[in-house]
Amino acid sequence: MSGDPHVTRLLEVALNAAGRGATLIQDLLTFAHRKPLHPAAVDVSAVVDEAKKILKQTMGPSIRLTVGTAPDLRLAWADPNQLELAILNLALNARDAMANGGRLQIACENRRADADDSPGDLAAGDYVIVSVSDTGTGMSEATLARAFEPFFTTKEVGRGSGLGLSMVQGFAAQSGGAVQIASSLGKGTTVELWLPPAEHQSKASVSAEPGEFVFRQRQARILVCDDDKDVCTLVGTLLRDLGHTVWEAPKPALALQILERERPVDLLLVDYAMPEMNGRTVIDRARACQPGLKTLLMTGYAEALRNNGMSEIPVLRKPFKAVELSRRIAEILNDLNDGAEGSNPATLCTEKS
């Protein structure tokens, strides 16, 4: 469709709307402490540097951005992607509070929490602090008291969801840290994000999301099971475009029938929350039919994601892009043991009523 700018623009609008919806749900899950995090030993200064590159494009000439990092800064134990998102949220809030320009400072330091200098009931100990300070309008006591309230915002309609600080607070709490705000009218605001240090952990590299490239993978026989027929059809189409042989099953019972009939199947892609049985049950019954069957659980269901991907079962979080689907399937197929997919033809895997 690249030759038709009108169609291309409509597709971009649809994709952006879907992205905003997905982001809103993720923010709600983070606020509720239910979004699955992937913590690692993180160089906070590197994350701040990545955020700085983005902020330079959005701050405008009237705002001076400075970054300071303590030379002996510890590694923090946190999800690097969520940490960068939290920093960006705080910085953009600060920018919006300085309509006439000002100074935005991001600082990173080590600090020890004690009774006199720690937010709330944070446990005593050492922490890594990321602070975002501005010289903007500041907050009144009444506004400050509601700052973490979800959907509360002082911005005009259409300029904010009111979830920015709520998301940051949820992320910090889920990471074992906390958030502290100091502000007064006319004197600006400082928000401190307290994160636990990653002692005795290996240093994790912070990298961008995978680019839009095609992952090399061998052709395979893949079964897709999702009670949402649109999702089932879309995933099936994407996989066929990659050269795979694909079966689509909008019901778990049909998926089990296909597994009984088609042998061997290399990979089962299955949704988690379905009316007949959940994805974990489908996987258990499918493996009873075809031992060694590789699986990938597709879900946005918070409880499934919180359980570390159901231990040994790989998880692809919904909503996902085509490149993410391709990457995960390539990883799984590249790990296939050609001698492990054998199945017992006498074993039935259809559901018994």
Side-chain angles (χ1 to χ4, degrees):
M1 293 295 181
S2 59
D4 188 336
H6 177 68
V7 173
T8 300
R9 177 56 184 158
L10 292 176
L11 292 174
E12 289 175 350
V13 169
L15 184 59
N16 288 337
R20 287 196 302 273
T23 299
L24 177 61
I25 294 300
Q26 295 301 317
D27 286 351
L28 286 169
L29 288 173
T30 302
F31 167 70
H33 303 183
R34 296 184 66 185
K35 180 172 182 177
L37 298 179
H38 303 285
V42 178
D43 182 348
V44 174
S45 63
V47 177
V48 171
D49 285 342
E50 288 299 314
K52 181 181 178 181
K53 295 176 184 177
I54 299 174
L55 293 172
K56 280 185 175 180
Q57 307 299 319
T58 61
M59 286 294 107
S62 63
I63 296 177
R64 182 162 60 94
L65 174 62
T66 61
V67 174
T69 302
D72 59 344
L73 188 67
R74 289 186 172 95
L75 298 178
W77 188 247
D79 184 320
N81 292 323
Q82 290 302 305
L83 174 57
E84 183 175 4
L85 181 59
I87 293 170
L88 289 172
N89 262 308
L90 294 176
L92 293 177
N93 275 348
R95 176 202 64 183
D96 292 344
M98 296 185 288
N100 298 320
R103 180 172 58 88
L104 171 62
Q105 181 176 15
I106 303 176
C108 307
E109 62 179 312
N110 303 316
R111 197 183 303 171
R112 183 167 182 81
D114 54 40
D116 298 325
D117 184 22
S118 66
D121 55 356
L122 193 66
D126 295 320
Y127 290 86
V128 179
I129 312 297
V130 181
S131 62
V132 178
S133 304
D134 65 67
T135 57
T137 57
M139 290 183 262
S140 66
E141 291 186 8
T143 299
L144 189 59
R146 302 182 64 187
F148 292 121
E149 183 180 317
F151 301 112
F152 173 74
T153 179
T154 58
K155 299 176 184 177
E156 55 192 67
V157 176
R159 293 200 59 197
S161 66
L163 281 171
L165 284 175
S166 301
M167 185 280 295
V168 173
Q169 184 189 45
F171 160 69
Q174 197 172 352
S175 300
V179 179
Q180 184 169 256
I181 301 180
S183 183
S184 60
L185 282 176
K187 296 183 179 180
T189 300
T190 296
V191 182
E192 293 181 345
L193 177 60
W194 293 58
L195 297 170
E199 302 294 344
H200 310 299
Q201 299 288 340
S202 61
K203 184 175 179 180
S205 61
V206 181
S207 60
E209 289 296 315
E212 297 293 329
F213 56 90
V214 177
F215 295 88
R216 292 186 177 181
Q217 53 189 267
R218 71 174 181 83
Q219 294 181 356
R221 294 160 61 85
I222 302 176
L223 171 60
V224 181
C225 179
D226 196 311
D227 62 311
D228 186 323
K229 293 183 179 180
D230 291 336
V231 173
C232 196
T233 299
L234 175 60
V235 172
T237 300
L238 292 172
L239 294 178
R240 289 188 185 93
D241 287 345
L242 292 172
H244 301 298
T245 299
V246 181
W247 292 269
E248 297 171 13
K251 295 182 179 180
L254 178 58
L256 296 176
Q257 292 172 12
I258 293 172
L259 283 167
E260 180 184 352
R261 183 180 72 243
E262 304 293 341
R263 297 168 181 267
V265 170
D266 296 313
L267 177 63
L268 168 65
L269 272 68
V270 60
D271 184 33
Y272 178 77
M274 295 184 289
E276 292 181 9
M277 64 184 83
N278 66 39
R280 180 57 197 255
T281 302
V282 174
I283 288 172
D284 289 342
R285 297 191 181 189
R287 285 178 173 170
C289 173
Q290 294 196 26
L293 175 68
K294 295 292 183 178
T295 61
L296 179 59
L297 191 68
M298 307 179 296
T299 184
Y301 187 59
E303 292 302 320
L305 294 170
R306 287 179 69 196
N307 192 24
N308 296 321
M310 299 239 170
S311 108
E312 80 285 1
I313 301 174
V315 172
L316 178 61
R317 183 185 304 169
K318 290 182 176 179
F320 51 82
K321 295 182 179 180
V323 67
E324 295 173 294
L325 175 67
S326 176
R327 176 176 61 85
R328 294 304 302 278
I329 289 177
E331 291 171 350
I332 293 172
L333 293 180
N334 288 340
D335 289 339
L336 272 177
N337 183 339
D338 291 336
E341 291 94 22
S343 58
N344 182 358
T347 304
L348 295 181
C349 53
T350 51
E351 183 182 9
K352 303 300 182 182
S353 57

